[in-house]
């Protein structure tokens, strides 16, 4: 459209490069030489005879405050006419999605659509059509929008997809690692109660395999506090902290079955948005140990609540997360106290996100899927009082989250490295305490850091 431009009072830079995110905005335009249409008379169903080829322009908005929404031509060099369409607009189907129309509801020959005159609107996406009373009515105008943000909420939803998908992936990596540690520590703690758990020698290192004796104890319980941080090279940052508890019972000498639950407090900061989230989840798991082989399988289901703040205000969204994971390891005894354990793991998950209110009202629902595959090895040294370890892993990440974002490009996919180290001590015959840290995303655009402290006890 010729000579058409936007200028917002609070977010001009976002209009040009991202989106206009303001609750009160000014749009300046010019319908001279614009496409023409046969406008409806008011809200229809009749079509105009004098305005059957009047030039028009459209402005996309997302209504976030229905009771205070208004669209008004405050300045114009011609007799204006306004129409409001819900969701979408087709100039050749003038009555489809039409919810309001006005000629002279404003000052003089200017137009006004608002909740007081046209009924209450619902939050969501709308199209404001600016045209003239007759075919010869065109020119420059100023349109004032209140109670809405300029543009559709897709920009904000894309930002939330990238943020929520990253949080879900990092959170599931942490929680799945916790259940694997819980299952394998359960075997170790039970074996240490067995007369054969130390290989029959009082001073020998504990044997972390169930092949030498029957599992002892009934229930192994554990709790963990963890924190994470990830920083993208465009300035986007993610932080989180959480707690997770779990307990398992022995099915037989080679299997334990358990259930864990957790909560994560999440924050994201970018050039366009700030997002906070609460994530609650439950996670059943199954652990296996036979000789030098170990494995763990786990399912997760969780729900998250997000608050996203942008220049246009705050929006809320809910999400449902489910994920599945499998890991396997093989121990190679390097000496009486040192073990090298090659490992492989895979995780897949999906997050269904739904905009609820504010700037995300009417954004609809979307799904992000993510997967991560890891191979590596952990070197473990057993001592009389506990153990310490160091590990090196290669991770491959794949996700459907959008990467071309208004707040900057964001692409966490691809191959990266991860280093881990930690250790643990036996506090009593039935309890242990361990610490661990890791640095991941090495060589990628999203390096991340995490640490955890864990306490476990069997009954």
């Amino acid at each position: 459209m010729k000579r058409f431009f936007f200028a917002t009072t609070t977010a001009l830079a976002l209009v040009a490069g991202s989106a206009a995110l303001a609750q009160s905005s000014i749009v300046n335009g010019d319908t001279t030489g614009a496409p023409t249409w046969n406008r409806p008379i008011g809200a229809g169903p009749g079509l105009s005879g004098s305005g059957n080829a009047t030039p028009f322009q459209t402005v996309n908005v997302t209504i976030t405050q229905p009771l205070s929404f208004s669209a008004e031509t405050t300045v114009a060099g011609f007799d204006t006419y306004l129409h409001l369409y819900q969701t979408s607009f087709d100039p050749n189907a003038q009555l489809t999605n039409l919810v309001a129309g006005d000629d002279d509801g404003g000052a003089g020959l200017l137009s006004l659509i608002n909740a007081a005159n046209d009924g209450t609107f619902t939050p969501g996406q709308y199209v404001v059509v600016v045209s003239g009373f007759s075919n010869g009515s065109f020119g420059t105008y100023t349109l004032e929008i209140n109670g809405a943000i300029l543009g559709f909420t897709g920009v904000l939803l894309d930002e939330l997809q990238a943020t929520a998908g990253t949080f879900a992936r990092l959170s599931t990596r942490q929680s799945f690692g916790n259940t694997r540690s819980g299952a394998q520590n359960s075997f170790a703690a039970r074996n240490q109660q067995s007369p054969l758990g130390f290989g029959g020698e009082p001073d020998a290192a504990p044997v972390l395999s169930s092949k030498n004796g029957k599992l002892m104890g009934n229930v192994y319980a554990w709790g963990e506090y963890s924190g994470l941080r990830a920083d993208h090279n465009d300035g986007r940052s993610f932080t989180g902290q959480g707690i997770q508890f779990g307990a398992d019972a022995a099915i037989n000498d080679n299997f334990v079955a358990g259930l864990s639950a957790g909560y994560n407090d999440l924050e994201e900061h970018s050039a366009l948005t700030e997002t906070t989230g609460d994530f609650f989840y439950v996670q059943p798991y199954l652990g296996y140990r036979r000789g030098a082989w170990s494995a763990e399988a786990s399912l997760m289901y969780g729900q998250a609540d997000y608050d996203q703040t942008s220049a246009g205000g705050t929006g809320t969204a809910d999400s449902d997360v489910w994920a599945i994971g499998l890991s396997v390891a093989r121990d190679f005894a390097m000496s009486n106290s040192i073990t090298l354990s090659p490992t492989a793991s895979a995780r897949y998950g999906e997050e269904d996100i739904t905009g609820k209110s504010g700037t995300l009202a009417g954004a609809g629902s979307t799904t992000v899927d993510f997967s991560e595959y890891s191979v590596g090895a952990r070197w473990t040294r057993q001592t009389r009082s506990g153990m310490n370890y160091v590990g090196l892993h290669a991770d491959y990440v794949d996700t459907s989250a959008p990467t071309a974002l208004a707040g900057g490009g964001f692409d966490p996919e691809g191959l990266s490295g991860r280093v881990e180290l930690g250790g643990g001590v036996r506090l009593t015959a039935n309890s242990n305490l361990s610490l661990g840290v890791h640095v991941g995303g090495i060589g990628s655009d999203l390096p991340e850091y995490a640490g955890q402290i864990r306490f476990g006890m069997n009954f």
Side-chain angles (χ1 to χ4, degrees):
M1 299 178 184
K2 294 179 58 179
R3 295 183 288 173
F4 181 64
F5 63 94
F6 289 93
T8 69
T9 56
T10 59
L12 179 59
L14 295 179
V15 177
S18 307
L21 301 176
Q23 295 299 105
S24 180
S25 303
I26 300 296
V27 175
N28 295 310
D30 188 348
T31 59
T32 304
T36 62
W37 73 320
N38 188 355
R39 64 163 178 82
I41 300 172
L47 300 180
S48 174
S50 60
N52 57 10
T54 183
F56 73 93
Q57 288 181 335
T58 61
V59 178
N60 296 334
V61 301
T62 299
I63 294 180
T64 58
Q65 300 169 357
L67 296 179
S68 60
F69 170 75
S70 65
E72 180 179 9
T73 49
T74 56
V75 178
F78 61 99
D79 186 357
T80 63
Y81 217 111
L82 288 180
H83 290 87
L84 184 67
Y85 288 80
Q86 189 170 21
T87 308
S88 62
F89 164 69
D90 182 349
N92 296 314
Q94 301 94 319
L95 301 179
T96 302
N97 299 329
L98 177 62
V99 295
D102 180 74
D103 179 15
D104 298 329
L109 298 179
L110 301 176
S111 309
L112 170 65
I113 293 175
N114 60 18
N117 296 333
D118 301 288
T120 303
F121 306 106
T122 59
Q125 299 179 353
Y126 290 80
V127 180
V128 179
V129 181
V130 182
S131 61
F133 178 80
S134 64
N135 296 344
S137 300
F138 54 83
T140 60
Y141 65 88
T142 297
L143 176 68
E144 180 177 334
I145 302 292
N146 291 289
I149 61 174
L150 294 184
F152 291 156
T153 52
V155 168
L156 296 177
L157 189 61
D158 284 351
E159 289 282 334
L160 185 59
Q161 278 186 272
T163 296
T166 299
F167 278 138
R169 180 176 60 81
L170 295 177
S171 296
T172 54
R173 175 197 286 178
Q174 187 75 37
S175 66
F176 277 61
N178 291 345
T179 54
R180 171 168 174 78
S181 296
Q184 299 310 314
N185 288 348
S186 176
F187 285 111
R190 297 168 194 276
N191 283 344
Q192 287 165 6
Q193 287 192 313
S194 169
L196 300 178
F198 292 88
E201 298 293 334
D203 295 332
V207 177
L208 302 184
S209 168
S210 62
K211 69 178 181 178
N212 292 318
K214 187 174 180 62
L215 288 171
M216 304 295 291
N218 187 30
V219 175
Y220 178 78
W222 52 271
E224 179 158 323
Y225 172 80
S226 61
L228 64 88
R229 180 181 181 89
D231 296 293
H232 194 261
N233 56 17
D234 71 345
R236 189 183 306 267
S237 66
F238 304 84
T239 58
Q241 56 182 337
I243 55 175
Q244 187 175 358
F245 299 96
D248 57 68
I251 300 175
N252 56 37
D253 286 3
N254 301 115
F255 286 94
V256 295
L259 179 67
S260 75
Y263 164 77
N264 286 345
D265 178 34
L266 308 168
E267 292 187 15
E268 175 266 356
H269 300 271
S270 71
L272 190 64
T273 62
E274 293 186 1
T275 304
T276 59
D278 297 303
F279 180 42
F280 297 88
Y281 59 90
V282 293
Q283 189 174 359
Y285 62 94
L286 181 68
Y288 170 81
R289 183 94 194 179
R290 183 177 179 85
W293 288 94
S294 64
E296 189 264 339
S298 184
L299 296 171
M300 171 197 275
Y301 173 75
Q303 293 184 334
D305 299 315
Y306 294 106
D307 294 325
Q308 183 192 70
T309 302
S310 65
T314 299
T316 64
D318 296 338
S319 76
D320 295 300
V321 180
W322 71 267
I324 184 171
L326 176 67
S327 63
V328 63
R330 172 54 157 93
D331 294 341
F332 292 91
M334 311 302 291
S335 69
N336 287 338
S337 60
I338 296 177
T339 303
L340 182 66
S341 305
T343 63
S345 64
R347 291 174 297 279
Y348 175 82
E350 291 187 0
E351 183 167 20
D352 297 320
I353 307 167
T354 302
K356 290 296 185 180
S357 66
T359 55
L360 291 169
S365 299
T366 187
T367 299
V368 178
D369 62 68
F370 56 90
S371 56
E372 188 167 2
Y373 310 93
S374 301
V375 294
R378 177 183 283 190
W379 178 92
T380 304
R381 179 177 179 268
Q382 302 289 341
T383 67
R384 295 182 180 182
S385 59
M387 63 89 181
N388 48 66
Y389 66 86
V390 61
L392 180 62
H393 306 270
D395 303 319
Y396 181 82
V397 173
D398 184 48
T399 177
S400 66
T403 57
L405 303 176
F410 177 67
D411 187 3
E413 294 185 320
L415 187 65
S416 65
R418 176 165 46 95
V419 177
E420 59 170 352
L421 59 92
V425 295
R426 291 192 301 274
L427 300 178
T428 68
N430 296 338
S431 64
N432 57 78
L433 181 70
S434 61
L435 300 170
V437 296
H438 83 246
V439 178
I442 300 171
S444 75
D445 292 339
L446 188 68
E448 45 101 359
Y449 320 88
Q452 62 274 339
I453 180 170
R454 168 192 291 267
F455 176 77
M457 175 177 289
N458 62 302
F459 301 92

mmCIF file of all heavy atoms in Angstrom, residues 355-375:
data_model
loop_
_atom_site.group_PDB
_atom_site.id
_atom_site.type_symbol
_atom_site.label_atom_id
_atom_site.label_comp_id
_atom_site.label_asym_id
_atom_site.label_seq_id
_atom_site.Cartn_x
_atom_site.Cartn_y
_atom_site.Cartn_z
ATOM 1 N N GLY A 355 -2.226 -19.699 25.319
ATOM 2 C CA GLY A 355 -2.344 -18.345 25.843
ATOM 3 C C GLY A 355 -3.649 -18.168 26.591
ATOM 4 O O GLY A 355 -4.699 -18.648 26.142
ATOM 5 N N LYS A 356 -3.615 -17.463 27.729
ATOM 6 C CA LYS A 356 -4.788 -17.360 28.583
ATOM 7 C C LYS A 356 -5.321 -15.937 28.716
ATOM 8 O O LYS A 356 -6.517 -15.697 28.585
ATOM 9 C CB LYS A 356 -4.460 -17.920 29.984
ATOM 10 C CG LYS A 356 -4.285 -19.426 30.010
ATOM 11 C CD LYS A 356 -5.579 -20.144 29.635
ATOM 12 C CE LYS A 356 -5.465 -21.632 29.778
ATOM 13 N NZ LYS A 356 -6.703 -22.346 29.425
ATOM 14 N N SER A 357 -4.468 -14.981 29.004
ATOM 15 C CA SER A 357 -4.980 -13.639 29.299
ATOM 16 C C SER A 357 -3.939 -12.593 28.949
ATOM 17 O O SER A 357 -2.799 -12.901 28.594
ATOM 18 C CB SER A 357 -5.369 -13.527 30.783
ATOM 19 O OG SER A 357 -4.222 -13.634 31.607
ATOM 20 N N GLY A 358 -4.348 -11.324 29.071
ATOM 21 C CA GLY A 358 -3.438 -10.212 28.801
ATOM 22 C C GLY A 358 -2.965 -10.199 27.367
ATOM 23 O O GLY A 358 -3.742 -10.416 26.432
ATOM 24 N N THR A 359 -1.691 -9.946 27.174
ATOM 25 C CA THR A 359 -1.136 -9.854 25.827
ATOM 26 C C THR A 359 -1.114 -11.191 25.102
ATOM 27 O O THR A 359 -0.856 -11.235 23.890
ATOM 28 C CB THR A 359 0.287 -9.295 25.881
ATOM 29 O OG1 THR A 359 1.077 -10.090 26.772
ATOM 30 C CG2 THR A 359 0.299 -7.853 26.360
ATOM 31 N N LEU A 360 -1.361 -12.278 25.804
ATOM 32 C CA LEU A 360 -1.431 -13.594 25.171
ATOM 33 C C LEU A 360 -2.863 -14.078 24.999
ATOM 34 O O LEU A 360 -3.092 -15.216 24.589
ATOM 35 C CB LEU A 360 -0.631 -14.615 25.982
ATOM 36 C CG LEU A 360 0.890 -14.414 25.972
ATOM 37 C CD1 LEU A 360 1.557 -15.309 27.005
ATOM 38 C CD2 LEU A 360 1.460 -14.678 24.589
ATOM 39 N N ALA A 361 -3.835 -13.229 25.333
ATOM 40 C CA ALA A 361 -5.240 -13.597 25.139
ATOM 41 C C ALA A 361 -5.503 -13.797 23.653
ATOM 42 O O ALA A 361 -5.089 -13.002 22.811
ATOM 43 C CB ALA A 361 -6.148 -12.513 25.696
ATOM 44 N N GLY A 362 -6.186 -14.848 23.325
ATOM 45 C CA GLY A 362 -6.505 -15.115 21.936
ATOM 46 C C GLY A 362 -5.345 -15.627 21.114
ATOM 47 O O GLY A 362 -5.464 -15.775 19.900
ATOM 48 N N ALA A 363 -4.204 -15.896 21.755
ATOM 49 C CA ALA A 363 -3.054 -16.398 21.008
ATOM 50 C C ALA A 363 -3.243 -17.836 20.566
ATOM 51 O O ALA A 363 -2.526 -18.322 19.698
ATOM 52 C CB ALA A 363 -1.782 -16.277 21.854
ATOM 53 N N GLY A 364 -4.209 -18.522 21.174
ATOM 54 C CA GLY A 364 -4.464 -19.901 20.804
ATOM 55 C C GLY A 364 -3.482 -20.854 21.458
ATOM 56 O O GLY A 364 -2.835 -20.537 22.456
ATOM 57 N N SER A 365 -3.358 -22.045 20.877
ATOM 58 C CA SER A 365 -2.497 -23.091 21.424
ATOM 59 C C SER A 365 -1.460 -23.501 20.394
ATOM 60 O O SER A 365 -1.681 -23.410 19.185
ATOM 61 C CB SER A 365 -3.323 -24.311 21.830
ATOM 62 O OG SER A 365 -4.264 -23.982 22.834
ATOM 63 N N THR A 366 -0.339 -23.958 20.890
ATOM 64 C CA THR A 366 0.730 -24.431 20.017
ATOM 65 C C THR A 366 1.492 -25.527 20.748
ATOM 66 O O THR A 366 1.410 -25.646 21.970
ATOM 67 C CB THR A 366 1.681 -23.288 19.622
ATOM 68 O OG1 THR A 366 2.606 -23.752 18.645
ATOM 69 C CG2 THR A 366 2.438 -22.762 20.826
ATOM 70 N N THR A 367 2.219 -26.339 20.002
ATOM 71 C CA THR A 367 2.974 -27.448 20.571
ATOM 72 C C THR A 367 4.437 -27.351 20.182
ATOM 73 O O THR A 367 4.761 -27.083 19.027
ATOM 74 C CB THR A 367 2.405 -28.799 20.099
ATOM 75 O OG1 THR A 367 1.045 -28.913 20.526
ATOM 76 C CG2 THR A 367 3.211 -29.956 20.680
ATOM 77 N N VAL A 368 5.309 -27.530 21.150
ATOM 78 C CA VAL A 368 6.749 -27.582 20.924
ATOM 79 C C VAL A 368 7.219 -28.986 21.269
ATOM 80 O O VAL A 368 6.891 -29.510 22.341
ATOM 81 C CB VAL A 368 7.493 -26.554 21.805
ATOM 82 C CG1 VAL A 368 9.001 -26.676 21.591
ATOM 83 C CG2 VAL A 368 7.025 -25.150 21.500
ATOM 84 N N ASP A 369 7.957 -29.609 20.387
ATOM 85 C CA ASP A 369 8.570 -30.891 20.729
ATOM 86 C C ASP A 369 10.079 -30.740 20.789
ATOM 87 O O ASP A 369 10.658 -29.861 20.147
ATOM 88 C CB ASP A 369 8.157 -31.990 19.749
ATOM 89 C CG ASP A 369 8.592 -31.713 18.323
ATOM 90 O OD1 ASP A 369 9.805 -31.731 18.047
ATOM 91 O OD2 ASP A 369 7.715 -31.471 17.469
ATOM 92 N N PHE A 370 10.700 -31.566 21.592
ATOM 93 C CA PHE A 370 12.148 -31.492 21.768
ATOM 94 C C PHE A 370 12.685 -32.889 22.003
ATOM 95 O O PHE A 370 12.008 -33.772 22.535
ATOM 96 C CB PHE A 370 12.511 -30.578 22.945
ATOM 97 C CG PHE A 370 11.861 -30.969 24.251
ATOM 98 C CD1 PHE A 370 12.487 -31.846 25.131
ATOM 99 C CD2 PHE A 370 10.621 -30.465 24.596
ATOM 100 C CE1 PHE A 370 11.882 -32.215 26.318
ATOM 101 C CE2 PHE A 370 10.010 -30.823 25.785
ATOM 102 C CZ PHE A 370 10.643 -31.706 26.653
ATOM 103 N N SER A 371 13.918 -33.112 21.591
ATOM 104 C CA SER A 371 14.590 -34.385 21.817
ATOM 105 C C SER A 371 16.064 -34.121 22.071
ATOM 106 O O SER A 371 16.627 -33.124 21.605
ATOM 107 C CB SER A 371 14.408 -35.327 20.624
ATOM 108 O OG SER A 371 14.854 -34.722 19.424
ATOM 109 N N GLU A 372 16.667 -35.008 22.828
ATOM 110 C CA GLU A 372 18.082 -34.877 23.158
ATOM 111 C C GLU A 372 18.695 -36.270 23.248
ATOM 112 O O GLU A 372 18.127 -37.172 23.878
ATOM 113 C CB GLU A 372 18.260 -34.125 24.478
ATOM 114 C CG GLU A 372 19.693 -33.789 24.797
ATOM 115 C CD GLU A 372 19.827 -32.791 25.939
ATOM 116 O OE1 GLU A 372 18.783 -32.395 26.498
ATOM 117 O OE2 GLU A 372 20.963 -32.416 26.265
ATOM 118 N N TYR A 373 19.838 -36.425 22.621
ATOM 119 C CA TYR A 373 20.543 -37.702 22.593
ATOM 120 C C TYR A 373 21.952 -37.476 23.123
ATOM 121 O O TYR A 373 22.620 -36.505 22.726
ATOM 122 C CB TYR A 373 20.592 -38.258 21.173
ATOM 123 C CG TYR A 373 19.246 -38.286 20.494
ATOM 124 C CD1 TYR A 373 18.820 -37.223 19.698
ATOM 125 C CD2 TYR A 373 18.367 -39.355 20.679
ATOM 126 C CE1 TYR A 373 17.578 -37.236 19.090
ATOM 127 C CE2 TYR A 373 17.130 -39.381 20.081
ATOM 128 C CZ TYR A 373 16.737 -38.311 19.291
ATOM 129 O OH TYR A 373 15.505 -38.317 18.697
ATOM 130 N N SER A 374 22.401 -38.365 24.007
ATOM 131 C CA SER A 374 23.696 -38.178 24.645
ATOM 132 C C SER A 374 24.492 -39.474 24.642
ATOM 133 O O SER A 374 23.931 -40.562 24.858
ATOM 134 C CB SER A 374 23.521 -37.710 26.102
ATOM 135 O OG SER A 374 22.797 -36.505 26.171
ATOM 136 N N VAL A 375 25.789 -39.351 24.422
ATOM 137 C CA VAL A 375 26.728 -40.460 24.600
ATOM 138 C C VAL A 375 27.933 -39.911 25.336
ATOM 139 O O VAL A 375 28.292 -38.738 25.197
ATOM 140 C CB VAL A 375 27.161 -41.079 23.252
ATOM 141 C CG1 VAL A 375 25.999 -41.760 22.560
ATOM 142 C CG2 VAL A 375 27.772 -40.021 22.336
#
